[in-house]
Amino acid sequence: MLTTLKRIVQEMNQIPALDTALFRLASRVKQTLNVDSCSIYLADNEAKAFILKATDGLHPDAVENVRIGFTEGLIGLVGQREEPLNIANAQHHPRFKHYPEVKEDNYNAFLGTPITNQRRVLGVITLQQTDLRRFSEDEEAFLVTLAAQLALEITNADIRGALTLSHTAGNIAQQKNVRGIAGSPGLAIGTGFSPDKSINLKNWVVKQTHSPAEQIALYRKGVEVTRGHVNTLSQRLDDGLPEDVKSIFQLYHHLLDANSLGREVEEKIRQGWDAASSLKMVVEDYAARFRAMEDPYMQERAIDIIDLSDRILVNILQEQNGHKITEKAVAGPCILVADEVSATMLAECPRDKLQGIISVRGSNNSHAAILARAMGVPAVMGCQSVSPALLEDKEILLDGYSGEVIISPAREVKADFIQLIEEESAITEKIEAEADKPCESIDGCRMSLYINAGLSAEVELDAGQIGAGVGLYRTEIPFMLRERFPSEQEQVTLYRQILEAAPELPITMRTLDVGGDKPLPYFPINEENPFLGWRGIRLTLDHPEIFLVQIRAMLRANIGLNNLQIMLPMISTVSEVVEAKRLINQAFLEVSDEASGSDNVISRPKLGIMLEVPSVLYQLPQLAKYVDFFSVGSNDLTQYLLAVDRNNTRVASLYNSYHPSVLGALYDIVQKANASQTPVTICGEIAGEPAGALLLMGMGYRRLSMNGFNLRKINWLLRKVTLLECKQLLSLALTSSSQQEVFTHINEYLETKELAGLIRAGA
């Protein structure tokens, strides 16, 4: 039965038009279960009725004409109860309602089950038969299983299909609202533009070769041309763009290096595969590893690897075929749309025409989102179920604060949107005018704002958004983009560059946070539950040789500078801190002995821990005896407290840092930290959001670490409020019953302060 069900769903997926697919589905179900009728009704929320969309067994003229109210008949009852209804004699049921046009007088047995998705009833699918009988448990189970799969297809088809509909009056396209993840703040209006990505490794069919030497030369030429192309794109961004944005291309240059992907690709060619096929096999392996990781930042690196490799493929084919592959041109003000918008794709789009970005996949950690924020271009990421081709040439309103996208907007909606853009522009001017002023509230509460660095702290700190230092620097990248563990000297060189970028400011480096769901390519780990597995400090303590080399490298890089701070990730027990400190002391003594007799000054860096595992919330007084500072990783802490994987689309809506329980935990942390006189920083996303910054200041946090592009906005906001107001706002939030109620209080407060332009940013 399962095989039959899969076959039916696959057949439906291959039919592009939803109506046609539903008719096919009804016919196949009727045939498979040997019943007299199968019908599908879909919900029309505006009409508050279920509409007969497809049937095999009822009169065909009833399709689209029969409308059954949400509270009417057996169909309405199934929708109301949101569970299957199995009746032997439907016509004797008190909720039975006769509809002459469907011609169902001969049917007695009735089985109906709701089609639901994310708590919404999308429709009802029914079976009917002339016999007086109850449908069997197997038949009922089959229909329930089918309805669950059908719900996803209807949801996707509803979005895709609605974009192609049009009103008959005036041939005006029907407005459609879809939602994604807020990637870059701002509002934009433009016409959808989708670059041509028809040539890609995903669709490439692997081929073998008998001329490996020629294929290696072809691959190297493709890489050389791509390197020049990337250089050109990087230079195009020079004018008026922060240095941290251009550092994004450093990863591209690293991947183009012969010691990175090149070595493995050429080895595949020597094994008998052509250049394109070898590139495909190596890249897809790397991309799969990155996508399997929990850290959203690391997941997004798969996009960069695939994008760069697709460009190499294009250049290989151009060299091989001897002619240039033409690209589509941008005609006017546009919203760039793609399955996965990449950094190079964004750089290619003329800046004077680029108004906004929509990426079907991806998150706010993608390089495209980072670029967009630095460029001031609104972006919505993870806008699933929308095909770029269907947005082509459509007028689009894009809200980078809420993640909402409006396609073919109604006239009055567009007018209101234009007014919002004008209001936002006025606020942006005010923020820029006060960008160099200290972060201090009206009543004298001084805040320190740090940055979270992920790509290259030395250039991020040159971007003019330095803040008080680096609150979090991830050290995983050099480990993950190599075929082996980086040597101690390689790490020293990297860390020294970062520390020297701002020698007068503290730079907090997190020790290696890999393992479990973030395996190194040369150190594979297979676990059933990687989120609760062998990762972070657990892995490095089990392998002190890895931990000691990294600590030694950090200490050596800090010689003569004294601005290093070390932070341990995923701490869950005091014993982990004790053991880590023992190893750090060992490394310090080793480096000190090696430098004895020289003029080099070796200082012992401050040591801190990440608070992201809920167990540490109850051990803070004990932990404070062993460390110099705490840093709250609110992203992971939220996931663990709410038991929600925010990258899982089925439950992502349940992830919210403003859940009263999460706010309560954050409040408890800062109170306990202050009681032990232990400095505490918060480095999760909530620190860089207007709503979050207000609540955190009210809680007692005085050190917020965030992405660099949020510094000026948060600085400006906190200078417009008082500490007393934030404490009062916090009291309302902590006693709220839901995150929606929390936002209601925040929005009302911002309105009273005439800061309504920031309301969208907090929601």
Side-chain angles (χ1 to χ4, degrees):
M1 192 67 78
L2 179 61
T3 302
T4 303
L5 190 147
K6 287 182 177 179
R7 189 180 300 118
I8 292 174
V9 174
Q10 289 172 354
E11 287 181 18
M12 181 182 175
N13 291 341
Q14 295 171 359
I15 301 174
L18 177 61
D19 291 348
T20 305
L22 292 179
F23 270 104
R24 177 61 177 166
L25 179 70
S27 178
R28 291 285 284 113
V29 171
K30 175 186 173 183
Q31 177 186 1
T32 299
L33 297 181
N34 194 26
V35 295
D36 296 325
S37 174
C38 176
S39 305
I40 301 167
Y41 301 79
L42 296 187
D44 184 334
N45 292 315
E46 292 185 6
K48 297 187 183 306
F50 291 106
I51 303 172
L52 179 61
K53 284 290 187 179
T55 184
D56 188 345
L58 300 181
H59 198 283
D61 290 346
V63 174
E64 298 289 352
N65 293 319
V66 169
R67 295 171 176 259
I68 303 175
F70 285 165
T71 60
E72 296 178 346
L74 296 178
I75 302 300
L77 182 60
V78 172
Q80 285 179 302
R81 291 174 53 170
E82 300 184 24
E83 63 179 345
L85 184 62
N86 193 344
I87 307 171
N89 193 338
Q91 300 195 39
H92 284 77
H93 193 281
R95 283 290 297 268
F96 179 79
K97 184 173 181 178
H98 184 60
Y99 291 88
E101 53 267 56
V102 302
K103 308 277 196 226
E104 59 179 348
D105 296 342
N106 295 328
Y107 295 143
N108 292 296
F110 173 92
L111 172 62
T113 190
I115 304 168
T116 60
N117 183 52
Q118 295 186 335
R119 306 182 187 182
R120 291 191 307 122
V121 177
L122 305 178
V124 174
I125 181 169
T126 68
L127 302 179
Q128 290 174 276
Q129 198 148 9
T130 57
D131 296 343
L132 285 167
R133 73 173 183 101
R134 283 178 59 86
F135 285 92
S136 69
E137 290 185 3
D138 286 344
E139 290 170 321
E140 184 173 323
F142 179 90
L143 200 64
V144 169
T145 307
L146 178 64
Q149 298 196 35
L150 181 57
L152 297 175
E153 298 304 318
I154 291 175
T155 300
N156 295 340
D158 174 56
I159 295 174
R160 293 193 303 267
L163 301 183
T164 63
L165 298 178
S166 62
H167 291 301
T168 54
N171 196 30
I172 301 174
Q174 181 182 16
Q175 175 177 308
K176 182 65 181 180
N177 295 33
V178 296
R179 187 174 290 275
I181 301 168
S184 175
L187 307 172
I189 300 176
T191 302
F193 171 78
S194 179
D196 183 9
K197 293 287 290 181
S198 57
I199 299 177
N200 56 70
L201 288 173
K202 179 181 178 181
N203 297 328
W204 183 260
V205 178
V206 295
K207 303 174 184 177
Q208 292 186 312
T209 181
H210 298 292
S211 307
E214 293 180 9
Q215 291 297 311
I216 289 176
L218 189 62
Y219 169 72
R220 290 179 178 177
K221 182 62 177 178
V223 169
E224 180 184 343
V225 173
T226 305
R227 182 179 290 110
H229 188 204
V230 170
N231 284 333
T232 300
L233 292 177
S234 179
Q235 293 168 6
R236 184 181 295 178
L237 296 175
D238 280 348
D239 296 334
L241 198 62
E243 288 293 329
D244 60 335
V245 174
K246 287 176 282 184
S247 73
I248 287 173
F249 287 93
Q250 290 182 356
L251 175 61
Y252 281 71
H253 287 301
H254 176 80
L255 292 171
L256 288 167
D257 187 89
N259 292 321
S260 184
L261 294 177
R263 182 180 300 172
E264 294 185 50
V265 173
E266 292 187 11
E267 179 58 32
K268 287 288 184 184
I269 294 175
R270 293 187 184 96
Q271 293 174 9
W273 303 100
D274 71 2
S277 300
S278 300
L279 179 64
K280 175 185 175 75
M281 288 185 279
V282 171
V283 166
E284 288 184 346
D285 180 53
Y286 270 98
R289 292 172 185 171
F290 276 93
R291 283 182 172 139
M293 298 171 190
E294 177 190 353
D295 188 342
Y297 179 86
M298 295 302 184
Q299 288 177 341
E300 293 298 337
R301 302 297 69 80
I303 296 176
D304 304 312
I305 293 173
I306 291 174
D307 171 70
L308 181 65
S309 302
D310 283 346
R311 293 176 182 277
I312 296 174
L313 173 63
V314 169
N315 290 323
I316 287 174
L317 296 180
Q318 287 185 157
E319 290 297 320
Q320 185 172 284
N321 300 330
H323 62 81
K324 184 174 178 58
I325 299 173
T326 57
E327 299 177 351
K328 290 166 60 177
V330 181
C334 73
I335 303 293
L336 178 63
V337 185
D339 283 324
E340 290 178 321
V341 175
S342 65
T344 52
M345 194 183 297
L346 183 54
E348 283 177 325
C349 191
R351 185 63 186 88
D352 59 336
K353 296 179 180 179
L354 180 64
Q355 304 300 309
I357 300 165
I358 297 175
S359 185
V360 174
R361 291 187 290 275
S363 73
N364 57 6
N365 292 290
S366 69
H367 278 165
I370 295 171
L371 266 168
R373 289 189 288 256
M375 297 169 67
V377 178
V380 173
M381 317 300 290
C383 205
Q384 298 182 7
S385 302
V386 178
S387 168
L390 290 174
L391 296 182
E392 186 85 19
D393 298 328
K394 297 246 182 355
E395 185 174 34
I396 297 172
L397 309 182
L398 186 150
D399 187 339
Y401 295 107
S402 67
E404 185 176 28
V405 175
I406 304 174
I407 302 99
S408 303
R411 184 177 302 174
E412 61 276 13
V413 173
K414 181 179 178 180
D416 291 342
F417 202 82
I418 291 173
Q419 183 176 349
L420 290 175
I421 291 177
E422 294 172 352
E423 293 175 2
E424 182 191 50
S425 178
I427 289 180
T428 300
E429 290 180 5
K430 294 177 182 179
I431 292 174
E432 292 300 320
E434 301 180 16
D436 58 345
K437 295 186 178 181
C439 187
E440 185 173 331
S441 68
I442 293 173
D443 52 354
C445 179
R446 190 66 181 261
M447 301 290 290
S448 297
L449 306 185
Y450 298 80
I451 70 166
N452 295 335
L455 292 168
S456 179
E458 72 273 15
V459 291
E460 287 174 328
L461 289 175
D462 286 338
Q465 298 178 339
I466 297 175
V470 176
L472 167 65
Y473 180 77
R474 303 176 181 91
T475 62
E476 293 83 38
I477 294 288
F479 286 80
M480 306 190 75
L481 294 179
R482 280 176 165 78
E483 297 175 342
R484 55 170 176 75
F485 285 105
S487 68
E488 182 176 324
Q489 186 55 48
E490 287 174 326
Q491 293 184 59
V492 170
T493 302
L494 172 65
Y495 301 152
R496 184 74 180 183
Q497 291 174 346
I498 295 165
L499 294 170
E500 286 180 338
E504 74 287 358
L505 298 176
I507 307 293
T508 303
M509 293 186 177
R510 183 177 67 188
T511 60
L512 189 61
D513 188 13
V514 298
D517 62 322
K518 293 192 292 185
L520 298 172
Y522 42 84
F523 195 71
I525 302 170
N526 296 314
E527 296 180 307
E528 290 186 5
N529 194 339
F531 291 95
L532 305 177
W534 197 42
R535 56 168 297 192
I537 196 67
R538 300 169 182 175
L539 185 151
T540 51
L541 288 182
D542 283 351
H543 282 274
E545 74 280 10
I546 299 173
F547 187 75
L548 284 168
V549 168
Q550 184 176 40
I551 297 299
R552 282 175 50 87
M554 289 180 178
L555 295 172
R556 288 175 56 196
N558 191 42
I559 293 176
L561 292 174
N562 195 29
N563 63 334
L564 168 69
Q565 297 188 156
I566 297 176
M567 186 159 62
L568 308 174
M570 292 298 294
I571 292 294
S572 58
T573 67
V574 174
S575 61
E576 290 170 336
V577 180
V578 172
E579 177 62 12
K581 286 195 71 172
R582 184 187 70 80
L583 293 174
I584 292 172
N585 288 335
Q586 176 182 328
F588 180 79
L589 292 174
E590 291 173 357
V591 174
S592 297
D593 288 343
E594 293 170 5
S596 61
S598 67
D599 295 331
N600 295 323
V601 178
I602 301 178
S603 58
R604 191 180 294 271
K606 291 182 179 180
L607 177 66
I609 60 172
M610 295 281 286
L611 306 181
E612 47 197 340
V613 178
S615 63
V616 298
L617 271 63
Y618 305 97
Q619 296 181 295
L620 294 181
Q622 295 89 337
L623 288 165
K625 299 174 184 178
Y626 297 94
V627 299
D628 301 299
F629 65 92
F630 295 139
S631 184
V632 183
S634 64
N635 296 348
D636 270 334
L637 181 61
T638 299
Q639 292 193 104
Y640 286 126
L641 281 172
L642 300 181
V644 173
D645 174 11
R646 63 177 177 162
N647 298 307
N648 183 333
T649 56
R650 290 187 176 90
V651 296
S653 61
L654 301 177
Y655 174 93
N656 197 298
S657 296
Y658 299 91
H659 189 291
S661 297
V662 177
L663 296 179
L666 295 176
Y667 179 71
D668 288 345
I669 288 173
V670 72
Q671 298 307 306
K672 291 178 180 178
N674 290 342
S676 63
Q677 297 184 325
T678 307
V680 58
T681 304
I682 185 163
C683 60
E685 291 178 7
I686 191 174
E689 298 170 356
L694 294 173
L695 295 175
L696 293 170
M697 186 167 79
M699 291 179 191
Y701 288 93
R702 298 294 175 261
R703 295 148 56 112
L704 310 180
S705 190
M706 64 199 71
N707 291 327
F709 49 83
N710 283 328
L711 276 176
R712 292 183 178 181
K713 179 171 61 179
I714 299 303
N715 185 10
W716 182 82
L717 171 64
L718 297 183
R719 293 181 59 255
K720 305 300 177 185
V721 302
T722 69
L723 177 59
L724 178 60
E725 291 168 345
C726 290
K727 288 183 176 180
Q728 293 171 339
L729 182 61
L730 175 66
S731 296
L732 294 173
L734 291 177
T735 56
S736 296
S737 59
S738 66
Q739 55 263 31
Q740 289 80 10
E741 187 177 341
V742 171
F743 281 127
T744 297
H745 293 309
I746 294 172
N747 292 344
E748 290 175 352
Y749 169 70
L750 289 174
E751 286 180 340
T752 63
K753 297 291 291 185
E754 297 183 351
L755 299 172
L758 288 172
I759 290 178
R760 290 184 303 276

